[in-house]
Amino acid sequence: MIKLGVLTSGGDAPGMNAAIRARAVVKTADYHNIEVMGIEGGYQGLIEGKLHRLTSTDVDYIADKGGTFLKTSRCAEFMKESGRMKALSILKDYGINHLVVIGGEGSFKGAQKLHELGVNVIAIPATIDNDLSYTDYSIGFDTTLNTILECLGKIKDTDLSHEKTTIVEVMGRYCGDLALYSALAGAGEIISTPERKLGFEEICFKLNEKIKNGKKDNLILITEKMYDIQDLQKYVEDRLDISVRTSILGFIQRGGQPSAFDRILASKMGITAVELLFKGYSGRAVGIKENDLINVDIEKVHSKLSSNDDKFSLLDTILA
C-alpha cells in the first residue's frame, strides 16, 4: 500500500500550489488509489509532525495562488543526522513510504538524504532563480521573469521622462538567468550577472558610450549579491557627473499569480512525479529539456553557474 507525503521547502515560488493541486500530485495519487498527506512547513514541519490528509477538494482552488498553501521554511535541524532521524520516525509513524519534495537545490539535498534512508522520493524543481543545471526551467521562473519585466517597464517610463539612469537589482542569487532573460525580453541597456560580471569602470564606460550616442535614459540591470548597489551608484555618479537612481525589486518578485506556463509546467511535473513513484522509481528529479519531461538521478543535480554563451551572444547583438 502506497501512502504519499508532499512538502514544499526553501524559498517559495509561484506554481508550487499548481504542482500540488487536484490535477497534479493529489489527483494523480487519487487515480492510483494512493492516500496523500500534506506536510506543512517543509522539513521543519515534517520533524514537528505537522501532517494532514489532502483530498482533491482541499486543493481544487489553489492553482492560481502564488506561494505555497502548505507553507515552507528553511530547516537547519534537518541538516543534522538527528533531525533526519526525527523526520524518518514521523514518516514511519504516519505510514508514509513515498514522498514528493517541491523546492530548490537545498530541498533536493534533503530529498537525497531521505532516499538514502530508504524513503522513496521524487523531487520537483521550484525556484525562481532557475539555478538548477539539469532542467531548462524550474517552476516559478517564468512568473518571476514577467513580474520583473512589468516593474522594469514602469521604471523605464520614468527614466525616459526625466532622461535618467536607474540601477535595478533583481534576484537570482548565483545565477543570472532572471537578469539575462529580462534583457533578452527588451529591458535593460547594460547587464551584469555572475556569469559575466562587469567591473565598475566597465559599467561606466558602457554607460558613457550610450549617453554620448544620445541615449540619456538607461537601465543598468544587475543580479543580487554582486555589488553594494549604493557603492555602484556613487561610483557612476562621481565618474560621469550624472544623477543615478537605484531600485532593489526584492520580494515583490516572489509573489503573485503563477503564469500559464508555470501552472502547466507544475501540473506536468506533479503528474510525472507520482507516476514515477507508482512505477517504483526513487531518488529522481523531474525536469524539462527542450520541451520534453525528463528525470535524472537527484545526486547529480547541481547549481547552475554557466556561461549561457548562446544567450549572451544574442544579448550582445541586441545591446550593440
Side-chain angles (χ1 to χ4, degrees):
M1 174 66 182
I2 293 177
K3 193 172 184 180
L4 173 66
V6 57
L7 65 81
T8 52
S9 175
D12 64 293
M16 280 181 161
N17 284 330
I20 302 165
R21 69 174 180 162
R23 293 184 183 85
V25 170
V26 175
K27 187 65 176 181
T28 308
D30 282 352
Y31 178 80
H32 291 295
N33 295 314
I34 299 171
E35 183 179 342
V36 181
M37 299 293 290
I39 301 166
E40 293 189 8
Y43 291 116
Q44 187 66 49
L46 176 56
I47 289 172
E48 296 173 0
K50 295 181 178 179
L51 292 81
H52 64 274
R53 185 171 181 184
L54 289 180
T55 67
S56 295
T57 303
D58 295 327
V59 294
D60 262 336
Y61 303 104
I62 66 171
D64 64 339
K65 307 299 182 186
T68 163
F69 92 109
L70 284 178
K71 309 298 187 294
T72 185
S73 67
R74 303 186 192 276
C75 181
E77 187 177 2
F78 191 81
M79 297 173 69
K80 303 174 183 177
E81 184 179 358
S82 58
R84 293 193 291 272
M85 295 312 295
K86 285 182 185 178
L88 184 63
S89 177
I90 292 293
L91 290 173
K92 289 181 178 179
D93 287 346
Y94 279 86
I96 296 172
N97 45 23
H98 292 68
L99 186 67
V100 172
V101 172
I102 305 170
E105 185 191 18
S107 305
F108 280 31
K109 288 179 178 177
Q112 171 66 20
K113 293 296 184 182
L114 288 175
H115 168 67
E116 292 170 358
L117 290 172
V119 181
N120 297 303
V121 182
I122 300 294
I124 296 175
T127 163
I128 66 169
D129 300 330
N130 205 44
D131 58 351
L132 296 171
S133 59
Y134 78 100
T135 183
D136 288 340
Y137 300 107
S138 57
I139 297 167
F141 173 70
D142 182 73
T143 304
T144 301
L145 178 61
N146 281 285
T147 298
I148 291 171
L149 288 173
E150 182 181 356
C151 293
L152 294 181
K154 294 175 180 179
I155 291 171
K156 286 170 74 71
D157 287 344
T158 297
D159 282 350
L160 177 62
S161 299
H162 294 270
E163 294 189 325
K164 294 278 189 179
T165 290
T166 300
I167 304 169
V168 181
E169 180 185 285
V170 302
M171 285 183 168
R173 214 167 45 153
Y174 307 111
C175 175
D177 278 12
L178 284 171
L180 172 59
Y181 280 72
S182 295
L184 288 172
E189 282 70 47
I190 298 169
I191 313 300
S192 184
T193 73
E195 297 87 352
R196 280 202 185 181
K197 183 176 180 179
L198 304 178
F200 282 13
E201 182 60 33
E202 189 173 3
I203 290 173
C204 285
F205 175 80
K206 288 177 177 287
L207 178 57
N208 193 45
E209 288 296 303
K210 299 285 185 185
I211 294 171
K212 285 196 302 183
N213 289 330
K215 191 170 192 339
K216 296 183 179 180
D217 59 296
N218 292 283
L219 194 154
I220 301 170
L221 195 57
I222 64 174
T223 302
E224 63 181 343
K225 299 183 182 296
M226 293 176 57
Y227 318 100
D228 183 309
I229 195 170
Q230 304 305 326
D231 287 348
L232 177 56
Q233 176 190 18
K234 186 176 186 307
Y235 187 93
V236 174
E237 287 182 331
D238 292 346
R239 182 75 171 79
L240 300 183
D241 193 25
I242 60 173
S243 176
V244 177
R245 296 185 178 92
T246 62
S247 180
I248 299 175
L249 297 187
F251 284 110
I252 192 173
Q253 296 163 90
R254 283 198 181 279
Q257 290 187 331
S259 64
F261 179 88
D262 273 333
R263 295 186 208 184
I264 293 168
L265 179 64
S267 296
K268 288 180 176 179
M269 287 184 171
I271 292 168
T272 301
V274 177
E275 294 285 357
L276 287 171
L277 285 171
F278 187 74
K279 293 175 182 177
Y281 288 90
S282 179
R284 310 292 291 179
V286 179
I288 185 168
K289 276 286 187 184
E290 299 179 351
N291 283 332
D292 288 329
L293 288 172
I294 62 169
N295 67 89
V296 302
D297 187 336
I298 198 171
E299 194 173 11
K300 297 179 180 178
V301 172
H302 302 289
S303 290
K304 175 168 60 179
L305 182 59
S306 61
S307 61
N308 282 317
D309 284 337
D310 56 336
K311 296 181 180 65
F312 276 109
S313 295
L314 178 59
L315 181 62
D316 290 339
T317 301
I318 292 172
L319 298 183

